[in-house]
Amino acid sequence: MTGQALKHRSMVDVLHGQAQRTPDKFAYRYLTHHDVYQSFTYAELDLKARAIATALIESGVEKEGRVLLIFPPGIDFIAAFFGCMYANVIAVPAVPPNKHIGRLYAIAEDCQPSLVLSTSKIKQVIHKRFAQDPVVTDLNWLAVEDVPDSVTTFRGVSVPREEDIAFLQYTSGSTGRPKGVIVTQRNLVHNSYMIQAVSGHQDEAVIVNWLPLYHDMGIIGGILQPLYIGGTCIAMSPLEFLQNPFSWLKNISDYRGTYSGAPNFAFDLCTQKVTDEERQTLDLSSWDIAFNSSDVVKFETLERFKQKFAPQGFKSSAFCPSYGLAEATLMVTCTLPKETVQVDEHVPTELDDEQATSATDNLSVEHDIAPKRANNVSCGQPGEGMQVRIVNPQTLTSCHPGRVGEIWIKGPCVARGYWGNPSATEELFHAYTVEGEGPYLRTGDLGYLKDGALFFKGRIKDVIIIRGRNHYPQDIEDTTEDSHYAIVNHATAAFSIEHDGEEKLVVAAEVYRRVADMTSPNELQTQIRSHIVDHHDIQTHDIVLLKEGTLPKTSSGKVQRRQTKTLYLTNQLQTAFD
């Protein structure tokens, strides 16, 4: 870590410094509707955070006590998050429950919070709707409305140190029960420093963010990054983006956003949903960095977006595909701004018959790169201080460049481990190769290195193995969505099940409501089967056509394949043609 990064011990240091330097500058504007917004200047945020910290301390929460944050979209969450850091207690962001409270229960049971920090309205809703479920309702609650806007005397505790825990980032649960990643102040400061080093942004930067503020990309990219550089964040509701993708681009245009990004599906939604009339009202020339992360980056997505919005000033050089995960705070690798995105047209070959026979019980993912066109998109090189190694997940031997294996990571951004889960921490955060290199974080992700750049291929647990051949689910999902206009984009899950002693492919795909009555399920299924055979040379055991909007997804919009599989096996999927 360089001297520049070391000048801050914690994000509290950063906030206090910005409040001293530019007290009247807008730090955050949260847009609601019709250009109405809530806002904090740096000084206002600093005062409100101190007031919340004092209230937490007076409530009896001790150092490193857990505080569950349950907030709707808005600036109250931001003040609460920094209030926890000022009090040196551990923030635990959580999404407010809608119909189900299961995820919130899982988090509360895991971290055993001392208090819930929320709004009066959220408290009333939860206590009324889930009155018979005491796991959350029996906890002590503090509403931010009951906290004064500022305090005359700050009753603080010791300033957070680099190794103090800042917050617990619970994983999305896309491949299992959510686990609380222990993120320290050092992790946050170094990751923010790395992002600034890549972006080159200074205090004139304007970051536009619609990602959920309880998600790692939303918290670190949307809240902490503008604070770290002394810039301004324009934030909006995730629901507003999903209902109207144009709103994201309009805010970039109206507020002259310089830095904004999202998972791959968001760029496709804009390409598909933004009308030509809407597009012509935009000016995207200020958008210097458009990061694409959190899922596999697709070359076709970048090309379609570039072609559609180039007339509005969008620069293809703005694309910055990147790779990261909560266990490494956020960013691990990133393409440098204005650098041509590297595309590799080769894909890994499948195992030969002899290898496949010996791999029936264990996933084998190390393959040579063969001369087949694939358009794999590079996620760039590791940030400063970070190391990436590709390792065979069975033999734990390092893979040669150009071979697919598990992505292993080490460096100052790697989190401390999982809260209350020493066995998983030891297994995944303290891994060593057979050559004795380590400790590394085992990500559970597949990828390969070429010319020092990382190419991300997907999750190991999602890989589909049919007759000894590996198939990436996102490839089958793309093929399914391309097979017929009735299939909803980014709403397909491919997975395998065991049937008659063999692994079989199952595809679940949403069907647009407006066209469900214009086609037959047999026609759709036949078309999908044919496309999958043509493109992947495998037969599909079952195709489930779902009602639009019912496929399980995480809070950040990623498909939950394992949850979909569970619902399929228990006959709980909502089909479109019942």
Side-chain angles (χ1 to χ4, degrees), residues 66-70 92 94 104 107-108 111 113 115-117 136 139:
R66 278 75 63 204
V67 175
L68 199 58
L69 306 185
I70 309 176
V92 185
L104 187 59
I107 292 174
C111 73
L115 181 140
V116 179
L117 187 55
V136 175
L139 293 171

Side-chain angles (χ1 to χ4, degrees), residues 306-320:
K306 177 185 70 175
Q307 291 173 9
K308 180 159 186 172
F309 295 103
Q312 279 58 58
F314 179 79
K315 306 175 286 291
S316 61
S317 61
F319 276 130
C320 291

Side-chain angles (χ1 to χ4, degrees), residues 373-421:
R373 187 174 180 82
N375 291 333
N376 297 311
V377 177
S378 163
C379 292
Q381 307 223 8
E384 184 172 328
M386 300 300 289
Q387 298 178 35
V388 173
R389 183 182 291 264
I390 305 300
V391 178
N392 183 301
Q394 279 79 49
T395 65
L396 305 187
T397 56
S398 299
C399 299
H400 295 295
R403 291 196 168 204
V404 173
E406 184 179 9
I407 301 169
W408 287 25
I409 298 166
K410 69 185 306 185
C413 292
V414 173
R416 184 180 297 178
Y418 294 122
W419 181 264
N421 197 336

Side-chain angles (χ1 to χ4, degrees), residues 259-271:
Y259 180 98
S260 189
N264 193 83
F265 81 90
F267 293 92
D268 274 336
L269 274 183
C270 290
T271 302

Side-chain angles (χ1 to χ4, degrees), residues 171 179-182 327 416-422 424-425 428-429 441:
T171 57
K179 296 186 288 290
V181 179
I182 303 171
E327 286 84 349
R416 184 180 297 178
Y418 294 122
W419 181 264
N421 197 336
T425 297
L428 300 180
F429 284 81
L441 164 68

Side-chain angles (χ1 to χ4, degrees), residues 235-246:
M236 55 185 284
S237 166
L239 183 60
E240 182 178 357
F241 164 75
L242 293 173
Q243 292 176 338
N244 180 23
F246 170 67

Side-chain angles (χ1 to χ4, degrees), residues 27 29 45 48 73 87 154 189 298 325 361 391 394 431:
R29 287 183 174 178
L45 175 60
K48 185 66 175 180
F154 173 51
V189 170
K298 299 177 182 177
L325 67 165
D361 295 325
V391 178
Q394 279 79 49

Side-chain angles (χ1 to χ4, degrees), residues 310-355:
Q312 279 58 58
F314 179 79
K315 306 175 286 291
S316 61
S317 61
F319 276 130
C320 291
S322 58
Y323 168 78
L325 67 165
E327 286 84 349
T329 308
L330 183 62
M331 190 188 87
V332 176
T333 71
C334 188
T335 304
L336 294 175
K338 299 182 180 179
E339 187 177 84
T340 301
V341 175
Q342 184 180 351
V343 179
D344 185 16
E345 296 183 353
H346 299 88
V347 298
T349 58
E350 299 300 333
L351 297 171
D352 60 35
D353 292 339
E354 183 178 351
Q355 289 174 305

